[in-house]
Amino acid sequence: MAQFYNIKFMKEVEGLSQRQIAKKLGISRNTVSKYLKQGEPPTTIHRKKVYGKAKYSEETERILPIIDKWLEDDLKRWGKQRHTAARMYERLVAEYEFKGSESNLRKIVAKRKKKLQEVFIPLDFQLGHQFQFDWGEADIILQGRKQRIFLFCMQLSASRMRFVRAYLHEKQEAFLDGFVHAFQFFGGVPTEGLFDNLKTAVQKNLQGRDRLEQEAFLALQAHYLFKAEFCNVRAGNEKGRVEGTVGYVRRNAFVPLPEVQSMEELNNYLLNWCMEESERRKVPHRKETVLQMWHKEKEHLHPLPANKFEACKLVSCQVNKTSLITVETNQYSVPCRYVGQAVWVKIFVDQVIVVAQNQVIAQHPRSYERNQMITVLDHYLEALLKKPRAIRDAHAFQSSDIPDVFRRFHHKMREEEGANGDRKFIRLLLLHREIGMENLTKALIQAEKTQVYRYEVVHELIQRLTNNDVTIDKLPIENTPLSLLDYKIQKSSISQYGQLTGGQ
């Protein structure tokens, strides 16, 4: 522009010839002539228009339609499996006998890609209409050890309120459980949800956006009355709200790595974090905070149903000869009277419930270890009455849930009464069904203090603990034997009865 000004000024104001102007400015006379003929200032826009025109060789022009076709096809494919410029060059040389250079082709591909960039539309969602869901991953320190956990992330599209809950896996029961807690947290249910094509939700992709959904996921929708919409395959940008949430949560709530003793502690921390973030952050293009917008959106959410959804996976199992069922390599006990029968198992995130004839017959905390055996002593008491000697080595009797006083008391009863002591001890164990494990434990501790290890003594103590005391006359201490087994009485002679009957 400065050169154009100098040439015009020297010609029209100072009256210099083209030769004089060229000599004075040290430029070519052709340049002076070009600018004088042009008459229009060389603005940035004009220079791009004149000099920015791509002039390709005939060889390059020949392959441009091929490059454009490949780039358009790539837009429909997974982002990690598209053509690179190097791969295009290899194909053009091998398939179309391209003679140009690879470096020149790289520049051409970069320019053509810019023209094909996808256009995104700004959205403004209605209050209470939509939520978006996605899974994420993060590392924590759980009980002193590094643990990879999975984050259930849900965000209300209008108010941008977040809900995050951590799980040890992404299985269907965790997927369903997350919605139960999320809707409870939000205080209602939006009209529709936007999802990826998860296996826990989608059984099969049909034509277009139609999906064959999993039965359990349909049951969840029927319970809370929301509609599921699914993104196009490999088009996570369609739920950009929650996609950004996953990364934001990982970078902010999990840096540095949280150190917790349980998943419950971690989830309480995440709930507090979500609330603090909602108070601090504002909704884009609005004056309200996320928390203030959420309170408005609550009024537009559908009310929660009266009962919570049973967020579990239902499977059928056969009870084996040792009164155990197998769930994901782990074995859980059921009452021994169900041996050989088929039962239903409800697998929740934190527990396993066994059902037979529409009744709950067993309930266990869920184990995430492998090849574990989880047993309850009460399930085997009827079988132990028939096989009392097995009580000493029974797996359920060695459990840490059984107080040590039970094992000590059994040992003493077995020492004093042998096999009969085993039977009486099992009868003692059966009493917990009437009075509870706590009262039975107290009775055994009190009986142990008296150092009298007999069923009758424990039964009497139980009567006192449960306010059903029966008055019993006691022997004076000096007449009470230390051990009843050592107490001997004189045996009667049968011949004495002959005197009464006259020998008949």
Side-chain angles (χ1 to χ4, degrees):
M1 182 66 77
Q3 194 175 65
F4 176 78
Y5 162 76
N6 289 331
I7 291 170
K8 294 282 285 185
F9 187 85
M10 289 179 183
K11 177 65 179 176
E12 296 182 11
V13 177
E14 296 181 359
L16 300 179
S17 66
Q18 291 185 20
R19 185 186 296 274
Q20 290 172 323
I21 294 171
K23 188 176 181 180
K24 194 171 183 178
L25 294 177
I27 59 177
S28 167
R29 279 184 298 165
N30 293 336
T31 302
V32 175
S33 177
K34 182 185 70 173
Y35 275 123
L36 289 174
K37 289 178 182 178
Q38 182 177 309
E40 184 180 345
T43 60
T44 302
I45 295 175
H46 180 75
R47 289 199 303 274
K48 284 187 176 181
K49 183 178 179 181
V50 175
Y51 299 105
K53 289 181 179 178
K55 294 183 179 180
Y56 299 119
S57 65
E58 290 184 6
E59 180 66 5
T60 302
E61 291 281 356
R62 180 175 68 88
I63 53 91
L64 284 180
I66 302 170
I67 293 174
D68 290 342
K69 180 67 168 60
W70 287 348
L71 290 175
E72 288 176 8
D73 291 343
D74 279 350
L75 291 177
K76 303 171 186 177
R77 296 192 180 98
W78 186 27
K80 296 181 180 181
Q81 204 167 342
R82 295 176 179 175
H83 282 92
T84 62
R87 178 57 184 149
M88 284 186 177
Y89 178 75
E90 291 174 0
R91 287 192 63 185
L92 289 169
V93 171
E95 300 173 24
Y96 298 93
E97 298 180 353
F98 179 58
K99 305 298 182 184
S101 68
E102 183 177 349
S103 60
N104 188 45
L105 184 72
R106 287 178 182 274
K107 296 174 185 177
I108 294 169
V109 171
K111 288 180 180 179
R112 311 302 278 194
K113 278 185 176 179
K114 287 183 180 179
K115 293 182 180 180
L116 293 173
Q117 283 185 347
E118 189 175 356
V119 178
F120 297 97
I121 301 170
L123 302 175
D124 189 11
F125 294 95
Q126 298 176 9
L127 291 173
H129 178 67
Q130 189 194 76
F131 69 84
Q132 297 180 8
F133 161 79
D134 200 8
W135 281 109
E137 295 182 20
D139 288 335
I140 63 169
I141 305 299
L142 181 61
Q143 296 180 354
R145 294 191 302 175
K146 191 175 180 181
Q147 172 77 45
R148 173 66 54 87
I149 51 100
F150 300 89
L151 302 174
F152 179 101
C153 300
M154 187 189 289
Q155 183 167 342
L156 297 179
S157 299
S159 66
R160 306 204 181 204
M161 187 64 186
R162 297 186 178 104
F163 171 81
V164 184
R165 187 171 177 83
Y167 294 94
L168 292 172
H169 54 74
E170 295 176 302
K171 296 178 181 178
Q172 191 175 64
E173 52 270 30
F175 175 67
L176 300 174
D177 184 75
F179 287 102
V180 174
H181 286 89
F183 293 143
Q184 200 72 31
F185 173 76
F186 288 136
V189 185
T191 305
E192 71 172 33
L194 192 57
F195 298 84
D196 278 331
N197 297 277
L198 305 163
K199 289 184 179 179
T200 48
V202 177
Q203 189 173 337
K204 185 180 179 181
N205 289 348
L206 304 176
Q207 189 174 4
R209 289 184 179 268
D210 292 335
R211 303 290 186 270
L212 179 61
E213 298 175 43
Q214 295 282 3
E215 185 176 331
F217 185 52
L218 286 171
L220 178 79
Q221 293 177 61
H223 188 83
Y224 287 107
L225 297 177
F226 70 91
K227 182 182 179 182
E229 293 288 338
F230 296 94
C231 297
N232 285 314
V233 178
R234 294 186 292 274
N237 57 282
E238 293 182 4
K239 51 179 181 57
R241 288 271 200 276
V242 75
E243 289 281 349
T245 287
V246 172
Y248 184 84
V249 171
R250 186 164 42 232
R251 291 188 299 271
N252 292 273
F254 289 87
V255 177
L257 271 61
E259 298 186 25
V260 295
Q261 294 301 311
S262 67
M263 294 297 288
E264 184 180 359
E265 181 184 346
L266 175 63
N267 285 322
N268 288 335
Y269 159 73
L270 288 173
L271 277 181
N272 292 332
W273 181 84
C274 288
M275 291 301 297
E276 290 170 2
E277 283 288 302
S278 68
E279 294 175 5
R280 187 176 64 85
R281 294 180 64 83
K282 287 189 175 181
V283 179
H285 314 298
R286 292 181 181 273
K287 296 180 180 180
E288 297 102 324
T289 64
V290 171
L291 184 64
Q292 290 169 337
M293 280 291 290
W294 176 42
H295 287 311
K296 290 182 180 179
E297 188 163 19
K298 276 185 181 181
E299 299 175 3
H300 295 80
L301 298 174
H302 299 301
L304 292 167
N307 301 319
K308 283 187 178 181
F309 180 75
E310 274 200 325
C312 65
K313 181 168 65 177
L314 191 65
V315 297
S316 177
C317 290
Q318 191 83 13
V319 182
N320 65 17
K321 292 181 179 180
T322 51
S323 200
L324 297 169
I325 58 167
T326 302
V327 177
E328 296 178 349
T329 77
N330 294 319
Q331 293 185 310
Y332 301 87
S333 68
V334 300
C336 58
R337 63 181 177 276
Y338 294 98
V339 166
Q341 295 187 30
V343 295
W344 288 103
V345 183
K346 294 180 178 179
I347 307 173
F348 291 82
V349 168
D350 55 352
Q351 61 180 338
V352 173
I353 296 178
V354 187
V355 179
Q357 289 87 46
N358 295 323
Q359 291 186 341
V360 175
I361 62 171
Q363 189 169 344
H364 298 273
R366 182 173 178 180
S367 172
Y368 284 102
E369 302 293 330
R370 290 185 62 82
N371 302 312
Q372 300 296 304
M373 184 186 294
I374 298 95
T375 55
V376 174
L377 184 58
D378 181 70
H379 294 163
Y380 295 93
L381 292 182
E382 283 82 3
L384 286 170
L385 282 173
K386 299 176 182 178
K387 301 177 181 180
R389 290 178 59 184
I391 182 63
R392 181 180 57 184
D393 302 312
H395 180 274
F397 193 52
Q398 310 306 321
S399 170
S400 58
D401 295 334
I402 304 296
D404 288 337
V405 66
F406 281 78
R407 284 181 279 273
R408 294 196 302 268
F409 208 89
H410 169 251
H411 180 70
K412 289 293 185 180
M413 289 184 73
R414 186 181 180 88
E415 275 187 351
E416 294 185 359
E417 301 186 66
N420 200 36
D422 288 336
R423 292 189 186 89
K424 289 185 177 181
F425 181 73
I426 295 165
R427 286 174 58 200
L428 280 178
L429 293 177
L430 283 166
L431 292 175
H432 91 275
R433 296 179 180 177
E434 301 174 18
I435 64 169
M437 201 66 173
E438 185 178 353
N439 282 334
L440 181 56
T441 303
K442 289 179 180 178
L444 289 178
I445 292 172
Q446 290 185 22
E448 189 179 40
K449 291 178 181 177
T450 66
Q451 296 186 349
V452 180
Y453 303 94
R454 297 188 66 81
Y455 175 87
E456 293 77 14
V457 172
V458 178
H459 194 273
E460 181 187 345
L461 292 170
I462 288 172
Q463 296 293 326
R464 295 178 187 174
L465 287 171
T466 56
N467 297 320
N468 294 322
D469 194 11
V470 178
T471 303
I472 300 176
D473 293 331
K474 296 184 177 180
L475 289 171
I477 294 177
E478 60 272 12
N479 295 335
T480 305
L482 294 177
S483 173
L484 291 177
L485 292 176
D486 297 333
Y487 186 65
K488 306 294 183 181
I489 60 171
Q490 185 178 0
K491 293 183 180 180
S492 300
S493 173
I494 296 177
S495 61
Q496 294 177 347
Y497 291 95
Q499 299 174 7
L500 298 174
T501 59
Q504 297 180 6

